[in-house]
Amino acid sequence: MDKGVCEIFEVGPRDGLQNEAREIPVAEKIALVDLLSRAGFSRIEVASFVSPKWVPQMAGSADVLAGIKRADGVRYAALTPNMHGYEDAVAAKADEIAIFASASEGFSQKNINASIEEAFERFAPILEEARHVDIPVRGYVSCVIKCPYDGVIAPAKVAEVADRLFSMGCYEVSLGDTIGAGTPDSIAKMLLAVRDVVPVGRLAGHFHDTNGRAIDNIDASLSMGVRVFDAAVGGLGGCPFAPGAAGNVATETVNAHLTALGYKTGLDQALIEEAATMAQQMRNG
Ligand code: HMG
Ligand code: MG
């Protein structure tokens, strides 16, 4: 049965590789992105312009953006926490950028050394600059269910942060279950609150699979109207500042699941599986 279109936003080269213990050479990252570019994605997050002291794994991001073969119709995205990162991302010709906020104070402090309020003060000039030069900005909300420092997070708090990101100009808000604590029930309750303030067509689900519930949580999100899901080939991923943040849900699993349900993703499963094997080999060296 044809259920319409779902998009997978590939985040493997960023969220997947930012947490790997091995120092992965830039050439390997470029090879992974080039393979992913052939698989049919519209958007791939390939870089992160954060402090190399905080996340040394992402230090070669400008070289990655300079070295990849850019495919027509693919937007290459970069994560930026502040103007410093934004300027580096623009200089490296990222096609779109992502800012990242948290629904919990504890994670915000640990992740970016700033309160939620201070994070928004840093985001305001980014949105203003990006608007002038027509660069799309995506917003993340982390810890939408539970925070490793503050515990359970109220859906109303997630809705408040998502609303702020959307109102200030983010074209899409990706809701991060950073430590994979969600269940179909808690995800549905959270989405009910967020859908009230951000149109569901502008929301994405970003599920880490710590507890093996990411696919169930995608199903819960589908039934609430979400049609964009972040995933990482090979199930790599995690956040260095969120203990318990295991891999992102694997792109190859999500694509097979969505296709079996009758959604069209436009992705080449064989190429994704090839990329998943490559990503897992990169982990081991
Ligand atoms: P800070 O130490 O408070 O920053 O870190 P600062 O402003 O005091 O600057 C300290 C030094 O960092 C200075 O250099 C700055 O120039 C430099 P120094 O004078 O010491 O040589 N600096 C930078 N360098 C490069 N790029 C920059 C940058 N900014 C300042 N953009 C900061 C604050 C935000 C920089 C730091 O905390 C940081 O980089 N945090 C990033 C953490 C991160 O990347 N976490 C993972 C991504 S989030 C995630 O994975 C969740 C997500 O997947 C969704 C989900 O799953 O929930 C998105
Ligand atoms: Mg993540």
Side-chain angles (χ1 to χ4, degrees), residues 103-147:
S104 77
E105 281 298 343
F107 183 69
S108 189
Q109 287 293 347
K110 287 281 197 285
N111 196 38
I112 55 170
N113 201 22
S115 66
I116 298 172
E117 205 49 51
E118 286 162 342
F120 275 99
E121 282 163 24
R122 294 174 184 177
F123 298 156
I126 296 180
L127 264 304
E128 202 176 311
E129 285 294 320
R131 213 176 351 254
H132 282 139
V133 288
D134 231 4
I135 293 184
V137 181
R138 193 175 195 238
Y140 281 104
V141 186
S142 284
C143 299
V144 298
I145 300 294
K146 191 174 177 187
C147 167

Side-chain angles (χ1 to χ4, degrees), residues 11 14-15 18 45 48-55 58 79-86 88 98-101 107-114 122 140-144 174-179 206-208 230 238-242 245 248:
V11 296
R14 194 283 301 171
D15 209 356
Q18 76 180 8
E45 200 165 77
S48 180
F49 292 95
V50 297
S51 162
K53 288 186 193 137
W54 283 64
V55 188
M58 289 285 107
L79 208 65
T80 61
N82 52 20
M83 270 314 274
H84 182 146
Y86 170 80
D88 288 352
I99 54 178
F100 48 109
F107 183 69
S108 189
Q109 287 293 347
K110 287 281 197 285
N111 196 38
I112 55 170
N113 201 22
R122 294 174 184 177
Y140 281 104
V141 186
S142 284
C143 299
V144 298
S174 178
L175 301 165
D177 182 11
T178 316
I179 55 170
H206 178 106
F207 297 110
H208 286 262
D230 301 352
C239 175
F241 308 102
N248 289 81

Side-chain angles (χ1 to χ4, degrees), residues 198-260:
V198 180
V200 72
R202 301 302 189 96
L203 295 174
H206 178 106
F207 297 110
H208 286 262
D209 203 20
T210 319
N211 293 310
R213 283 194 296 250
I215 291 292
D216 293 340
N217 293 338
I218 285 176
D219 285 344
S221 309
L222 283 167
S223 67
M224 300 290 290
V226 177
R227 292 293 180 270
V228 180
F229 297 100
D230 301 352
V233 275
L236 262 56
C239 175
F241 308 102
N248 289 81
V249 65
T251 309
E252 59 278 17
T253 309
V254 180
N255 190 51
H257 183 69
L258 292 174
T259 307

Side-chain angles (χ1 to χ4, degrees), residues 252-278:
E252 59 278 17
T253 309
V254 180
N255 190 51
H257 183 69
L258 292 174
T259 307
L261 288 177
Y263 293 98
K264 286 197 171 53
T265 63
L267 297 175
D268 181 328
Q269 180 72 10
L271 276 179
I272 294 171
E273 283 173 15
E274 209 182 303
T277 304
M278 187 190 268

